[in-house]
Amino acid sequence: SLVSPPPTGQVLTAEELNVLYEGIKLNKVNHYDYILTGYCRDQSFLEMVVDIIQGLKKANPSLIYVCDPVMGDHGAMYVPEHLLPVYKDKVVPLANILTPNQFEAELLTGRKINTEEDAVEVMDLLHKMGPETVVLTSTDIPSKNGDQFLVALGSHKIVKPDGTKTNQKIYMDIPKVDAVFVGTGDLFAAMLLAWTHYHPKDLKMACEKTVSVMHHVIKRTITYANEMAGPGKRPSPAQLELRMVQSKADIENPAIIVEAKII
Ligand code: ATP
Ligand code: MG
Ligand code: NA
Ligand code: MG
């Protein structure tokens, strides 16, 4: 079937998360260079995450917090609505790098995105909320190269040669694959963390490498899935599991397949 049964398991509570963090502090291993957060559906858990990140930033003031503000997609929220004000008021202000999709960016700013100009304004508003780097990981903005591309945009704060500050914007066309994958948002955020580490002042390069990794992983996955499904059949979710291990070499050293444009 194309519909997966719901996952099973236990949800960690805010207090249980705090106990883990206390143990990390007691063992003096609370010095991190990066922290990455993603899907969360409980308000008290998210508020505990905020407290912990504040603690980690005190322990290492140059810690970089990458926040994937996972709240929904394509016009619908899939986390409780009361998480939105927590993201707006507490989480996003702590974030250094933010990776919303179009819908999440619209929720955070209260502004609808229809055009590239709208996206630029929304990214500037998100900068004002805190993060120095913002990437809209997917949008419905029509690509000038046709509907086989999905548009992603990025923006980061830079200092120009004359010493003045500006937000540099980039635009990317990503080749679309006709399938729905699970885990691509997580992989995007993780790759952006890694590639901004190697290219901290070059968002264009970091995004080109990130999107290229995505492309290689997705291509390998869809090729395999179609082969397994057989001619004319739609692959199952199991067959569409991202081919991560098989993509190790591409993840480490992706051939660049997308050129980001500075806009
Ligand atoms: P999140 O789920 O983290 O809130 P998101 O909605 O942007 O964010 P995805 O929709 O998974 O996450 O998109 C992230 C990236 O995954 C895209 O930038 C693109 O590189 C890749 N991707 C996902 N689905 C496809 C697809 N069908 N074809 C091509 N690329 C895709
Ligand atoms: Mg999406
Ligand atoms: Na995202
Ligand atoms: Mg996602």
Side-chain angles (χ1 to χ4, degrees):
S1 133
L2 286 174
V3 180
S4 313
T8 57
Q10 301 80 42
V11 177
L12 200 71
T13 66
E15 203 32 58
E16 286 163 345
L17 176 66
N18 192 39
V19 168
L20 288 175
Y21 178 59
E22 288 300 323
I24 285 169
K25 271 200 298 199
L26 285 171
N27 285 284
K28 300 190 168 66
V29 285
N30 59 336
H31 193 283
Y32 290 91
D33 295 322
Y34 289 89
I35 185 157
L36 169 60
T37 65
Y39 182 70
C40 167
R41 50 175 304 110
D42 179 79
Q43 177 171 350
S44 61
F45 190 93
L46 188 58
E47 282 171 341
M48 185 62 75
V49 167
V50 168
D51 288 351
I52 291 172
I53 294 169
Q54 278 166 338
L56 292 174
K57 282 200 169 191
K58 238 181 228 144
N60 176 15
S62 57
L63 176 140
I64 292 177
Y65 170 33
V66 182
C67 173
D68 190 3
V70 178
M71 287 185 283
D73 211 343
H74 309 294
M77 283 185 81
Y78 44 60
V79 303
E81 273 180 38
H82 57 258
L83 262 67
L84 174 58
V86 182
Y87 272 108
K88 271 205 239 182
D89 300 337
K90 297 179 181 166
V91 182
V92 173
L94 275 182
N96 302 97
I97 301 179
L98 191 72
T99 59
N101 60 34
Q102 169 170 336
F103 179 61
E104 291 154 349
E106 291 173 341
L107 285 175
L108 290 170
T109 59
R111 296 281 278 272
K112 190 90 188 71
I113 300 173
N114 294 306
T115 63
E116 190 178 305
E117 292 68 45
D118 297 337
V120 163
E121 271 181 47
V122 162
M123 290 192 291
D124 284 335
L125 287 171
L126 290 169
H127 281 310
K128 291 204 177 109
M129 295 168 74
E132 50 269 21
T133 301
V134 174
V135 177
L136 304 183
T137 54
S138 57
T139 72
D140 298 324
I141 297 170
S143 164
K144 290 159 206 121
N145 290 315
D147 61 7
Q148 39 325 9
F149 292 93
L150 79 85
V151 172
L153 295 116
S155 178
H156 70 150
K157 296 188 180 176
I158 58 162
V159 180
K160 288 196 287 188
D162 66 4
T164 60
K165 288 179 186 163
T166 186
N167 298 333
Q168 185 189 59
K169 302 282 188 315
I170 63 162
Y171 171 104
M172 282 171 299
D173 272 325
I174 301 175
K176 262 191 215 166
V177 172
D178 179 25
V180 177
F181 302 94
V182 174
T184 41
D186 295 331
L187 181 59
F188 191 107
M191 288 300 101
L192 190 65
L193 185 161
W195 292 117
T196 53
H197 173 73
Y198 288 114
H199 307 287
K201 299 215 150 104
D202 189 351
L203 185 65
K204 177 179 173 335
M205 178 69 83
C207 282
E208 285 172 350
K209 290 193 175 177
T210 295
V211 165
S212 297
V213 168
M214 299 305 301
H215 178 80
H216 298 305
V217 172
I218 283 171
K219 271 280 171 209
R220 182 169 288 107
T221 302
I222 196 70
T223 302
Y224 169 85
N226 283 334
E227 217 166 89
M228 294 299 282
K233 296 235 176 73
R234 281 223 155 230
S236 68
Q239 291 164 338
L240 286 167
E241 283 278 292
L242 294 180
R243 305 288 284 167
M244 293 289 296
V245 173
Q246 298 79 0
S247 303
K248 181 173 182 283
D250 289 322
I251 291 168
E252 288 171 345
N253 187 21
I256 302 298
I257 60 103
V258 168
E259 213 213 313
K261 271 189 312 184
I262 293 176
I263 57 171

